[in-house]
């Protein structure tokens, strides 16, 4: 009996993600959702403190920003393709 090959996922902070990365996010519950990173940003929390995060377009149609410190666990399923080299 052959085992199915698992996607190798690496747990990361939202700020470590890059546009077009494929991710799986576990919310406070045990539910996990897959999506694609569409944007990144850093926002000010106070005059001297900022937090970075990534916007995820989920396969189910949701579109959510996740920031470092949010109550979610994020895994990178696959990295965005490297840009093609100039010939």
């Amino acid at each position: 009996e052959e085992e199915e090959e698992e996607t190798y996922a690496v747990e990361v902070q939202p700020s470590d993600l890059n546009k077009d990365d494929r991710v799986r996010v576990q919310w406070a519950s045990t539910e996990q959702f897959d999506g694609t990173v569409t944007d990144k940003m850093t926002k000010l929390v106070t005059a001297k403190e900022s937090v970075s995060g990534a916007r995820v377009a989920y396969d189910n149609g949701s579109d959510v920003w996740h920031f470092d410190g949010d109550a979610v666990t994020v895994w990178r399923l696959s990295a965005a393709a490297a840009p093609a080299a100039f010939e």
Side-chain angles (χ1 to χ4, degrees):
E1 200 174 292
E2 204 171 301
E3 285 186 35
E4 281 189 35
E5 195 173 312
E6 292 262 338
T7 302
Y8 181 68
V10 179
E11 189 175 330
V12 294
Q13 290 296 313
S15 61
D16 294 332
L17 296 168
N18 296 304
K19 192 168 185 266
D20 297 328
D21 282 353
R22 286 289 297 163
V23 295
R24 176 166 293 150
V25 180
Q26 180 172 319
W27 294 60
S29 65
T30 57
E31 288 188 280
Q32 297 180 353
F33 301 94
D34 291 357
T36 303
V37 176
T38 58
D39 203 359
K40 293 185 66 168
M41 84 165 162
T42 299
K43 65 179 182 178
L44 285 176
V45 179
T46 66
K48 295 180 180 177
E49 198 178 354
S50 63
V51 65
S52 296
R55 183 178 187 172
V56 177
Y58 286 96
D59 297 349
N60 67 8
S62 297
D63 195 341
V64 181
W65 281 96
H66 295 294
F67 292 92
D68 292 358
D70 286 356
V72 294
T73 304
V74 181
W75 294 274
R76 180 186 284 127
L77 299 178
S78 61
F86 289 106
E87 291 187 19

